[in-house]
Amino acid sequence: MSTNPTLSADWYTDPDIYTNERQSVFGDSWVHVGYDCDVPNVGDVMFESVAEIDIEIVRTSPSTFLAVALMVHGKREVVLVDSFRGLIFVALDASNCSLVDWLNEFPSALIDLPVEELIFHSRTIRRVKCNWKTYADNFLEGYHVPSVHPEMARDADASNYSVILGDDRRWNVHVMPPRGDSVFGMFGWLYPTFAFNVVPGGWAVERWLPRGHNEIDLYFEYFFEPGAPDLERIHAMNETVAEEDVRICEAVQRNLESGVYAEGLLSPKWEEPLLVFHDMIRELGDLNGYAPTNK
């Protein structure tokens, strides 16, 4: 029997914990906010919000950007910004390490994917009523696939879903053996809120950014090789999975907020990625003095 407890419900429902995580998680990380193609020309501007801090990003040259946080009373603070293979990340703490150092070995997960050759297809944004960790939990385990995602389970072999964990707890790769012309097969996650799904002829990128302690904006962004076939089927299946994930995450959040649930146990076979993630979150809470008594 597992003796590995989940995070207690307080971690997902207490506004004070989220207030602390705005700094300990999002203030101390490089966070994915967009793409080079969002600001293709020198002088182009894009806006995003990281942990409810509004960020303005300007392309200043063909290869560089400037990012500022828009603070209260019109104050503007420069934050770190960099691009990796067309993906733009920002770090709110200007003393953070470089993006290359932050990513560490994560680029190896994308080594076989021709990211630079892929063309933006479409973007969907959903406001989801759940804590940012609720959605991360959902992504990090495949145990729910047969019951929550029946079409995905028919498309690929969910019974042999596996997660590859390395020495760096901040990222992992998920594999689900495809069947025939499967849309699904390989997924990846990078702490805190970046994930991807490799699809035939391209990839679908997921990112979720908190809009409070119990809401996120969930982005699904699709990129394909020029002339890639079957785009509408691939897009439609991913959008179906997104809708299913939204429904289950909002239901889980309602249960967490009901007061009935305190904490549970994690399956050592199916939920090891959750154990790793929960340990990281607990350690941050302990280190910064905001972990709830019921951990």
Side-chain angles (χ1 to χ4, degrees), residues 52-54 69-77:
E52 298 175 82
I53 296 177
D54 292 331
L70 308 178
M71 313 301 286
V72 295
H73 307 305
K75 185 178 179 183
R76 299 162 65 90
E77 294 182 1

Side-chain angles (χ1 to χ4, degrees), residues 19-235:
T19 297
N20 281 283
E21 288 176 339
R22 290 177 65 196
Q23 173 56 46
S24 67
V25 174
F26 294 94
D28 198 34
S29 300
W30 281 88
V31 180
H32 173 53
V33 294
Y35 306 87
D36 288 6
C37 63
D38 289 326
V39 280
N41 304 306
V42 174
D44 285 351
V45 180
M46 63 173 286
F47 295 90
E48 188 49 275
S49 176
V50 176
E52 298 175 82
I53 296 177
D54 292 331
I55 308 293
E56 178 185 272
I57 298 169
V58 183
R59 183 183 282 274
T60 52
S61 81
S63 59
T64 61
F65 306 87
L66 173 69
V68 294
L70 308 178
M71 313 301 286
V72 295
H73 307 305
K75 185 178 179 183
R76 299 162 65 90
E77 294 182 1
V78 174
V79 299
L80 300 180
V81 58
D82 204 350
S83 174
F84 163 73
R85 300 190 69 183
L87 301 161
I88 297 176
F89 291 76
V90 298
L92 297 177
D93 185 347
S95 67
N96 210 323
C97 64
S98 69
L99 177 60
V100 169
D101 288 342
W102 169 265
L103 293 174
N104 195 13
E105 296 299 320
F106 174 71
S108 65
L110 305 178
I111 196 167
D112 294 325
L113 188 64
V115 175
E116 292 83 358
E117 300 173 15
L118 304 181
I119 298 172
F120 176 76
H121 173 271
S122 59
R123 169 183 290 137
T124 56
I125 307 173
R126 295 170 172 86
R127 178 62 57 90
V128 186
K129 296 184 182 301
C130 73
N131 183 265
W132 73 273
K133 296 186 295 298
T134 304
Y135 193 85
D137 285 354
N138 177 76
F139 186 89
L140 284 169
E141 53 87 9
Y143 195 41
H144 71 282
V145 169
S147 58
V148 176
H149 305 303
E151 189 173 3
M152 177 191 274
R154 288 190 296 270
D155 185 72
D157 184 5
S159 64
N160 285 302
Y161 193 110
S162 61
V163 181
I164 302 168
L165 299 168
D167 295 332
D168 188 341
R169 299 184 298 172
R170 297 173 306 131
W171 67 276
N172 51 57
V173 171
H174 305 224
V175 178
M176 188 166 58
R179 294 188 176 109
D181 60 347
S182 174
V183 167
F184 305 102
M186 175 187 168
F187 313 86
W189 170 77
L190 173 68
Y191 172 88
T193 54
F194 174 86
F196 65 88
N197 171 23
V198 177
V199 300
W203 71 340
V205 176
E206 296 179 47
R207 56 188 172 101
W208 53 101
L209 298 174
R211 302 302 187 226
H213 77 282
N214 60 359
E215 284 191 332
I216 60 171
D217 274 346
L218 172 63
Y219 297 74
F220 266 66
E221 292 151 326
Y222 300 88
F223 297 80
F224 294 99
E225 296 171 357
D230 218 9
L231 301 191
E232 296 315 310
R233 180 177 74 94
I234 294 168
H235 179 267

Side-chain angles (χ1 to χ4, degrees), residues 6-18:
T6 64
L7 293 172
S8 67
D10 292 341
W11 287 97
Y12 303 86
T13 62
D14 188 337
D16 291 338
I17 289 177
Y18 166 68

Side-chain angles (χ1 to χ4, degrees), residues 1 43 61 102 207 220 234 237 252 254 256-257 274 283:
M1 177 180 292
S61 81
W102 169 265
R207 56 188 172 101
F220 266 66
I234 294 168
M237 289 187 70
V252 167
R254 288 193 298 270
L256 289 165
E257 293 173 352
L274 288 181
E283 288 168 14

Side-chain angles (χ1 to χ4, degrees), residues 229-254:
D230 218 9
L231 301 191
E232 296 315 310
R233 180 177 74 94
I234 294 168
H235 179 267
M237 289 187 70
N238 275 272
E239 286 294 290
T240 295
V241 169
E243 288 293 333
E244 292 165 344
D245 279 330
V246 166
R247 288 196 293 270
I248 193 64
C249 286
E250 291 189 334
V252 167
Q253 187 69 34
R254 288 193 298 270

